[in-house]
Structure formats: structure tokens, C-alpha cells
Amino acid sequence: MRAVLILPLLAALSACGAPDYYLLPPETAAATARSGRVSLAVADIDLPAYAGALEIAAVGQGGAVRLEQRALWADTPQRALTRHLVSSLQRRLGGQVMADPWPAFDPPALQLRVVVDRMIGGPGTTLDFAGQYILVSSASGGIVASDRFGIQVPTEAPGYGGLLAAHARAVEILADQIAARISGRAGA
């Protein structure tokens, strides 16, 4: 009798399998540095709860957000996205761009905080990435710039790998906007 009950349970468990883990892909386009004298500390990106989960968030029919149990980030989304933003800004700005906490004795000239209101899409759809970034002067503690952003990136590859590639591209577009803002301020 026990074998009759255990066999279907084992069959169900073996069908589940292990989840797939997805990496955020590296930036493919080479960006050119606009200013070699910038020092910028980047705080961890502030994500909504669904976007910060290890399960990849995807929007389903009717706008419902699903956390995919079998499709997981290979790193925490906050860390992966913050590191990708740091790398993208470094390529665009040159100078010293590092994630907080700032490792040097001398403080950075600027501090960056990104607050994400929305970061959602699905395989074969468009990723919607919106929020606000704030640049603060380390010397004065005052806000240098505070701009809202809204970025839409279509997924170009199939599946969750394509969705994470859209996440990476959205962060790169944000890095373009932030670098342009900083470069415009550098001469002021």
C-alpha cells in the first residue's frame, strides 16, 4: 500500500526538476568615456518587491505579476542590476565609478541613487522600466539633479534569457541618460 502512494509522489517530484538560473548578460556595445575626472558612488538600486525577488518576475494576462518558480536570477536582482549600472556608467564616464560603500578615503564628487517604480515585462513582450534617479553632491550634500525616467525595451531573444537581456539593455539606456546629465554638469 505504501509503495502505491510513494510511486506517484516520486513521479511528481522528478517531473518538477531543478529551476533554471539566469545571468544578467554583459554589455555588448562599447560605450566611450565622456569625462575622465568623475568620481561617483552608486547606491544599491531600490527595487519594488516583485523585481527584487530571486524568482524572475513576469507580467501575465490581465496584468498579473507572476514570480516564476522555475526561472531564477543567478544573483540577487538588486546586486546584479547595481553592478551592471556601475559597469555601464564606468564605460560612459571614465574616472572612478564604484558601488557603495565608497572604498576610498576621499569621498566621491557625486553620489547616485536610483529608485525603481516599475521593472516588469515578460518573454516576448516589452520590458517597462520606470523610476527616478537622484545625483547628490558629496561636498554640499545638495541635490545636483533629480530626474524621472521611463524606458521601454522589447525583448529580442526568446524566453527568460531574452527578458534578462532586456533588463540589461534598460539599465544601459539609463546609464546613457545619467552620463549625459553628469557630463552636462561637469563643465558648469
Side-chain angles (χ1 to χ4, degrees), residues 33-65:
R34 298 178 185 168
S35 171
R37 305 299 299 159
V38 174
S39 61
L40 175 66
V42 180
D44 286 340
I45 294 175
D46 185 355
L47 295 170
Y50 64 85
L54 281 179
E55 298 88 358
I56 296 175
V59 66
Q61 291 190 5
V65 174

Side-chain angles (χ1 to χ4, degrees), residues 63-84:
V65 174
R66 293 181 320 243
L67 295 177
E68 297 297 333
Q69 302 297 317
R70 294 189 34 78
L72 305 176
W73 285 80
D75 196 352
T76 64
Q78 183 181 47
R79 183 179 186 283
L81 294 166
T82 300
R83 298 292 181 198
H84 196 74

Side-chain angles (χ1 to χ4, degrees), residues 3-36:
V4 172
L5 295 175
I6 292 176
L7 286 175
L9 179 61
L10 289 175
L13 287 175
S14 68
C16 292
D20 294 323
Y21 291 86
Y22 293 88
L23 292 169
L24 198 63
E27 188 171 6
T28 55
T32 57
R34 298 178 185 168
S35 171

Side-chain angles (χ1 to χ4, degrees), residues 4 31 37 52 65-67 75 99 111 127 135 139 144-145 150 154 156 159 170 173 175 182:
V4 172
R37 305 299 299 159
V65 174
R66 293 181 320 243
L67 295 177
D75 196 352
Q111 299 169 15
L127 176 76
L135 286 165
V144 174
E156 296 177 358
I173 293 169
I182 290 172

